[in-house]
Amino acid sequence: MSSLKNLRSLNLNQLPILREILRQESITRAAELLSLSQPAVSNVLKSLRGHFGDDLLTRDGTNMRRTAKGEELLVFLETALAHIESAIKGDAFDPALATGPIRIATVDNVISTFAGPICGILETEAPNLEVQFVIATHNLAGDLKSGAVDIAVTSTEFMDSPAISESLRKELCIHPVGVEPLVCIGRSDDAQLAKGLSLDVYMSRPHASYIVDPDHHHTVERQHIRDVGLSRSTRIATSSNQNLPAIVANSDCLAIVPITLAKTAVSQYPLKIFRPPFDLPDIKWVIAWHERSSANPLFQWSKDAILQCSGELELP
């Protein structure tokens, strides 16, 4: 079949539906997002499987996974449909007409730092756009690949994690946002801390610590403490950085937190900021996204909006 006849045999109205099916790797989720019935979405997938001569999605245990052909098509569809949507709306992307949603995954203290400034940008430039902040999980790279989230604000340490396969890493793009020091917080009325924080005191005390989730404890702080051969006692671990100041204020625990969070916390709780008694690397914040999003003008605008907010971080 010639390329022209092959194109004419394809129902182009099905392509945006296929894009969402492949993004979500789920007929159910795609149907919900498109406000279509599951049978209708299932029929589209069945039709396009026949057209492309490929399953596009295959069963992997309880989940569905894109085939190699599905991966190839998703990259093509993201680029091609972004150009078509832009052409329909006009030559220039107008954020004032954008509705979204744009999903940004990060940790809770970055949400609290960025959400206010982002609201200000939306008010003046994109009043109809919905931005959804969600908590990043250990599967953040996979969420970017699947389209479950559009943009991640995370650390270089997380992006360099061995948990991310080399093939997936090649599909992800990153852009530096800023650098933020880590500091230690303790109670301001703690007599043992009156003269400062020594290494002996730090190691002897119980600690409250951030974890990504119960099964994945990797953080900049934990990794560095292991690397320098230290061992400490963690009394409480939480996936919420925002909760650490309240925990420390109501206990004898110490905690390592980003300096932006610490400065806010000392205005709310009886806490004091201490320099860690050993060298800790700064958090190198980056924006991460999947390569297929690069051609999407809404994504580009959203990325630039996040970069405008980077001044909220403690840059060196």
Side-chain angles (χ1 to χ4, degrees), residues 10 30 40 50 55 58 65 84 86 126 133 142 156 173 184 187 192 207 255 260 290 303 306:
L10 179 64
D55 285 340
T58 57
R65 291 287 180 262
I84 292 171
S86 178
F133 280 103
T156 54
C173 306
C184 187
R187 287 171 55 106
Q192 197 176 26
H207 294 265
T260 302
H290 193 272
K303 178 168 69 72
I306 293 173

Side-chain angles (χ1 to χ4, degrees), residues 187-198 200-206 252 254 274:
R187 287 171 55 106
S188 56
D189 61 354
D190 191 320
Q192 197 176 26
L193 302 175
K195 295 183 179 180
L197 179 61
S198 67
D200 287 342
V201 169
Y202 178 87
M203 299 306 300
S204 69
R205 297 290 289 269
D252 60 344
L254 302 177
F274 299 91

Side-chain angles (χ1 to χ4, degrees), residues 10-19 48 52 77 81:
L10 179 64
N11 182 347
L12 299 181
N13 292 324
Q14 294 180 333
L15 295 184
I17 299 174
L18 177 61
R19 175 178 61 179
L48 293 175
F52 290 108
L77 289 171
L81 293 178

Side-chain angles (χ1 to χ4, degrees), residues 77-148:
L77 289 171
E78 292 285 7
T79 302
L81 293 178
H83 284 301
I84 292 171
E85 289 162 355
S86 178
I88 290 171
K89 292 177 181 178
D91 291 334
F93 170 72
D94 185 356
L97 302 177
T99 56
I102 287 290
R103 302 180 189 93
I104 303 172
T106 187
V107 290
D108 57 350
N109 59 292
V110 172
I111 294 175
S112 65
T113 300
F114 277 29
I118 285 284
C119 279
I121 294 172
L122 294 177
E123 182 178 358
T124 58
E125 298 185 32
N128 300 307
L129 179 62
E130 178 186 352
V131 173
Q132 299 175 353
F133 280 103
V134 297
I135 298 297
T137 71
H138 73 278
N139 192 41
L140 180 58
D143 290 339
L144 289 169
K145 181 182 178 71
S146 71

Side-chain angles (χ1 to χ4, degrees), residues 184-197 201 205-208 235 244-257 262 265-266 268-274:
C184 187
I185 54 173
R187 287 171 55 106
S188 56
D189 61 354
D190 191 320
Q192 197 176 26
L193 302 175
K195 295 183 179 180
L197 179 61
V201 169
R205 297 290 289 269
H207 294 265
R235 177 175 291 169
L244 290 174
I247 293 169
V248 172
N250 290 281
S251 71
D252 60 344
C253 288
L254 302 177
I256 298 288
V257 299
V266 296
Q268 300 172 336
Y269 299 99
L271 297 172
K272 188 174 180 180
I273 298 174
F274 299 91

